[in-house]
Amino acid sequence: MRHSRLLILAMLGIQLGLFLACSSKSPTEPRIVFNDTICHLAMNRDTPRDSFDFVYSNAGDKKLVIISVAPSCECVTAKFEQKELAKGESSYIRIYFDATNVHEENFWRTIDVYTNARKEPYTLDIEGTIE
């Protein structure tokens, strides 16, 4: 009698495990993946402006949205399309760097990217030299 109860409990456990394993997976959240998170610029005083595209894609199952971007300095501006990206789709954030009023030879700036993928921003780095 005791063995039959243990056998029934074991079979129920196996069935529950199979049910959970075979049930449909819930979709994952959006997940942003950048091709590069650091931009390297080599500039000179004669041509003090440059741009760079931070390419990103959605590696999650739900739609990804860039909500806003926040450059750390007035010398950096950023443009992006505020659209929803489905799983596997890609887009870019184009940054413009103007070194006209930048006095240091080696510089480092950041851009915080706010998305619906997480509460904390993603930080992209812009570093380089001015000759």
Side-chain angles (χ1 to χ4, degrees):
M1 181 88 158
R2 182 170 182 222
H3 291 293
S4 61
R5 285 185 188 168
L6 289 175
L7 183 59
I8 291 172
L9 286 174
M11 291 180 68
L12 285 173
I14 291 171
Q15 287 179 338
L16 179 62
L18 288 173
F19 173 75
L20 292 174
C22 294
S23 64
S24 63
K25 295 179 180 178
S26 62
T28 63
E29 295 299 314
R31 188 167 65 93
I32 191 167
V33 176
F34 287 93
N35 289 3
D36 295 300
T37 57
I38 300 174
C39 164
H40 302 280
L41 299 176
M43 307 172 71
N44 63 53
R45 296 287 175 198
D46 295 331
T47 55
R49 293 175 183 85
D50 204 352
S51 65
F52 182 83
D53 290 344
F54 284 103
V55 177
Y56 65 92
S57 61
N58 182 6
D61 289 331
K62 291 185 180 177
K63 294 192 184 258
L64 172 71
V65 177
I66 301 287
I67 298 167
S68 67
V69 295
S72 64
C73 177
E74 292 178 358
C75 59
V76 178
T77 56
K79 304 226 186 239
F80 66 98
E81 292 185 18
Q82 192 170 11
K83 66 178 185 178
E84 295 181 346
L85 291 184
K87 179 180 181 176
E89 290 184 327
S90 297
S91 190
Y92 61 90
I93 299 168
R94 178 165 291 154
I95 60 101
Y96 298 93
F97 187 82
D98 185 349
T100 303
N101 296 317
V102 176
H103 302 293
E104 65 262 36
E105 291 179 7
N106 298 305
F107 62 87
W108 175 70
R109 304 292 189 270
T110 61
I111 296 178
D112 286 336
V113 179
Y114 295 88
T115 71
N116 66 331
R118 68 180 190 185
K119 292 180 182 179
E120 304 84 28
Y122 294 87
T123 300
L124 304 175
D125 296 304
I126 305 163
E127 61 180 30
T129 58
I130 304 171
E131 296 179 2

